[in-house]
Amino acid sequence: MKYYIIFGPPGAGKGTQSVLIAKKYNFKHISTGALLRQEIEKRSEIGIIAKAVIEKGEFVSDDIVIEMVRKVLCNNEDSIKGYILDGFPRTLNQAVELDKVLESLGEKISSVLALVTDDEVNIRRIQHRANIEGRKDDADFDTIRNRIRTYHKVTEPLITYYKSQKKYKPVSGELSVEENFRDICKIIDSE
Ligand code: ADP
C-alpha cells in the first residue's frame, strides 16, 4: 500500500490535486478538512467543537483529527492501491502519531508531495474559492490571514521533519492544474 501526503499552505491546491491523484492511481483521498466539514453538517459532537475552531481559522485538536485518520487507515480496504492524505498531518505531533499508526500496520509514508506557493497566490485562490464553495473559513480576510500565519508557524516546520526522512518532494504549485498534476505524477511514477 502506498501512503502519500499532499502538503502545502491553505489555498495551494491540495484538494484539487488530491482528487486527480486518487482517480489516476486508485488511491483513497482522506481530507481531514472535508471529514470535519461532514461532522459539522451532521451536527455531531465533534462537529460542534470543530465548527467554532475552524471558523476562527484555528486548528482542531490533534486528538480529534488523529483519531479520525486512524479509523480510516485501519479500516483495511482491499480495492485501493494507496492513500492520499490531504490536510493531515498539520502539526509535528500529528506527523509523529501518523508514523506510529503506519508502523503498527507495517507500513510507512511513501513521499510528501509539497505544493510550493506564494502567500499572495494562496490568498487570491481562497478568496476566489469563497464565491464557489461558500466555506465560512474562506469568507473573512482575517480568518484567511490567521490560517496562513498558523501554517507558517505550526505546519511549515514539518518540512524539516520530512526532509530528514528524505521524503520531502517539492513541486511548484503556481503552474496550471494540469502542469502541477504532471509534475506530481512524475514523482509518483518514479517510485
Ligand atoms: P485548507 O487547507 O484550505 O485550509 P482544509 O479543508 O484542509 O482547508 O482545512 C480547513 C480547516 O479544518 C483548517 O483550517 C483547520 O481548522 C481544520 N483542519 C483540517 N485538517 C486539520 C488537521 N490535520 N489538524 C487540525 N485542524 C485541521
Side-chain angles (χ1 to χ4, degrees):
M1 201 67 92
K2 295 279 188 188
Y3 295 85
Y4 284 97
I5 293 169
I6 188 132
F7 187 86
K14 300 186 294 292
T16 305
Q17 294 298 327
S18 296
V19 170
L20 296 171
I21 296 165
K23 186 155 179 258
K24 173 164 173 157
Y25 295 98
N26 190 19
F27 291 169
K28 188 178 176 78
H29 175 200
I30 307 180
S31 159
T32 43
L35 289 173
L36 290 166
R37 284 188 287 279
Q38 279 171 22
E39 295 296 327
I40 294 174
E41 281 283 301
K42 284 193 279 182
R43 294 191 165 81
S44 68
E45 208 175 312
I46 288 178
I48 291 163
I49 299 168
K51 187 175 186 325
V53 181
I54 290 177
E55 287 176 8
K56 278 193 277 179
E58 289 168 11
F59 282 176
V60 174
S61 78
D62 282 351
D63 290 354
I64 290 180
V65 284
I66 290 165
E67 184 51 23
M68 266 181 359
V69 173
R70 198 193 59 76
K71 263 195 202 143
V72 184
L73 291 180
C74 295
N75 182 9
N76 219 355
E77 288 196 43
D78 292 337
S79 59
I80 54 165
K81 294 222 156 33
Y83 293 86
I84 178 90
L85 294 166
D86 163 14
F88 181 92
R90 254 175 157 106
T91 65
L92 194 55
N93 181 34
Q94 290 178 17
V96 171
E97 290 303 316
L98 173 63
D99 280 347
K100 284 191 202 160
V101 172
L102 292 180
E103 202 187 329
S104 76
L105 297 169
E107 301 279 5
K108 57 183 180 351
I109 295 294
S110 309
S111 281
V112 177
L113 309 163
L115 303 178
V116 181
T117 46
D118 188 81
D119 282 353
E120 297 313 312
V121 172
N122 300 327
I123 291 170
R124 262 206 314 275
R125 287 183 182 168
I126 293 173
Q127 286 175 324
H128 175 70
R129 182 171 72 188
N131 301 320
I132 300 167
E133 295 184 11
R135 274 169 53 175
K136 284 235 175 69
D137 59 340
D138 286 345
D140 177 71
F141 190 68
D142 287 341
T143 307
I144 298 173
R145 273 251 172 263
N146 198 17
R147 285 159 62 197
I148 291 182
R149 209 179 301 124
T150 310
Y151 166 79
H152 288 302
K153 209 169 122 202
V154 186
T155 308
E156 213 164 42
L158 291 184
I159 294 176
T160 313
Y161 181 77
Y162 288 115
K163 272 187 181 165
S164 74
Q165 295 188 1
K166 304 211 169 5
K167 303 245 164 98
Y168 182 74
K169 312 274 167 72
V171 297
S172 170
E174 294 190 358
L175 310 172
S176 69
V177 169
E178 294 75 20
E179 288 169 317
N180 197 340
F181 184 52
R182 183 202 58 204
D183 290 347
I184 289 174
C185 292
K186 269 190 210 153
I187 297 172
I188 298 178
D189 292 339
S190 71
E191 297 189 337

